[in-house]
Amino acid sequence: TGEVRFDHVHFGYDPEREILHGVSFAVPAGKTLAIVGPSGAGKSTIARLLFRFYDIQGGRILIDGQDIAQVTQGSLRSAIGIVPQDMVLFNDTVGYNIGYGRAGATQEEIEEAAKAASIHDFIMGLPQGYATRVGERGLKLSGGEKQRVAIARTLLKDPPVLVLDEATSALDSRTETEIQDVLRSIARKRTTLIVAHRLSTVVDADEIIVLEQGRIVERGRHGDLVRAD
Ligand code: ADP
Ligand code: ADP
């Protein structure tokens, strides 16, 4: 499960000023779609519409064939995990930060859920291991470690659809590469939409769409688009 489809979607925050002019794409379950394009093109808007934060003015958005207009926001939130641009950690321990959304979860419960969501190794990948780090204050972690914690928090819900919104933009390039390797291995296991500025960060996507001023101007695999550049 986790097929995502946009079918001629028209949207404007202000109905008088349309931002997306009939956007269509489909992401088969388990595949990765990257949305690239300049700032202001409407990439983050597409991600927000998936959560039905706003009503669209034309077209349809479908998850597993079901029009999201017919689905409660609560069930959308459990179906879709988002790793946002700016990670905000609570002034509390790593364990609390990962377990947020499961109030009062014990370390054992978090570890169980992490195993079930196949992210155990990922959390363990924190330098020095999870067990010694889980009680540490989240705010003391490095940028890359914070990012891992925030990603783990999203993945713990085991959502069939994952949205990565320029997840690595604030990191130095070594950390960025490291996190991207992690994200790539996670993305392989579920439907993923990546919102990115640059083609170079989405080499492995099954399909890339280039968005400009609310229209898809190109689509294809990385090699095709680079040749066309
Ligand atoms: P991108 O993610 O590609 O940088 P956005 O989806 O953030 O682009 O923005 C697309 C357009 O929508 C821009 O013109 C932006 O100014 C406008 N926009 C974004 N968020 C809002 C909002 N909450 N209210 C009104 N206009 C918005
Ligand atoms: P949780 O389920 O962990 O309590 P929330 O209920 O705060 O999280 O949010 C549910 C999902 O919606 C989360 O993945 C969160 O990142 C995402 N989300 C919340 N607000 C926004 C927003 N303004 N823009 C994009 N995504 C959001």
Side-chain angles (χ1 to χ4, degrees):
T1 62
E3 189 213 24
V4 175
R5 182 181 291 271
F6 271 53
D7 183 12
H8 297 94
V9 171
H10 290 264
F11 173 74
Y13 293 92
D14 171 358
E16 306 289 292
R17 188 181 157 239
E18 196 172 89
I19 299 281
L20 299 178
H21 310 288
V23 168
S24 298
F25 60 80
V27 199
K31 299 292 185 187
T32 299
L33 174 83
I35 306 169
V36 303
S39 184
K43 305 183 295 294
S44 302
T45 299
I46 288 177
R48 279 178 217 132
L49 291 180
L50 259 186
F51 285 94
R52 234 186 76 196
F53 288 145
Y54 306 91
D55 289 327
I56 56 177
Q57 283 109 30
R60 291 188 310 166
I61 300 172
L62 307 164
I63 296 182
D64 291 325
Q66 192 175 22
D67 192 328
I68 66 165
Q70 317 293 334
V71 175
T72 65
Q73 238 187 31
S75 58
L76 283 177
R77 283 187 173 213
S78 48
I80 309 163
I82 184 159
V83 180
Q85 225 159 356
D86 304 302
M87 300 300 163
V88 181
L89 293 193
F90 299 97
N91 182 18
D92 208 302
T93 62
V94 168
Y96 179 90
N97 272 286
I98 293 176
Y100 172 68
R102 293 164 182 260
T106 64
Q107 185 173 331
E108 288 73 26
E109 283 167 343
I110 291 172
E111 291 211 25
E112 274 309 302
K115 270 187 201 142
S118 310
I119 56 167
H120 195 253
D121 292 349
F122 171 56
I123 297 174
M124 290 296 187
L126 278 173
Q128 299 156 48
Y130 173 76
T132 55
R133 304 297 297 272
V134 72
E136 226 169 87
R137 306 299 287 185
L139 297 178
K140 280 174 48 188
L141 300 176
S142 72
E145 291 169 348
K146 280 184 188 150
Q147 191 100 21
R148 270 176 190 259
V149 169
I151 293 167
R153 180 197 298 167
T154 297
L155 291 184
L156 197 58
K157 296 195 286 189
D158 202 17
V161 180
L162 192 63
V163 178
L164 308 175
D165 193 352
E166 274 283 33
T168 56
S169 57
L171 302 171
D172 62 75
S173 63
R174 196 175 66 96
T175 311
E176 183 171 332
T177 308
E178 198 185 295
I179 294 286
Q180 238 140 35
D181 287 344
V182 172
L183 289 177
R184 227 168 268 150
S185 66
I186 292 162
R188 245 174 248 134
K189 299 189 184 104
R190 62 190 82 227
T191 311
T192 309
L193 274 73
I194 304 177
V195 172
H197 281 307
R198 286 171 291 140
L199 268 177
S200 60
T201 61
V202 293
V203 177
D204 289 349
D206 296 301
E207 188 180 17
I208 299 170
I209 60 177
V210 181
L211 197 70
E212 276 175 22
Q213 299 185 354
R215 284 193 174 82
I216 296 175
V217 295
E218 265 187 285
R219 60 175 89 209
R221 294 183 69 102
H222 185 262
D224 308 328
L225 296 182
V226 171
R227 277 192 294 276
D229 242 2

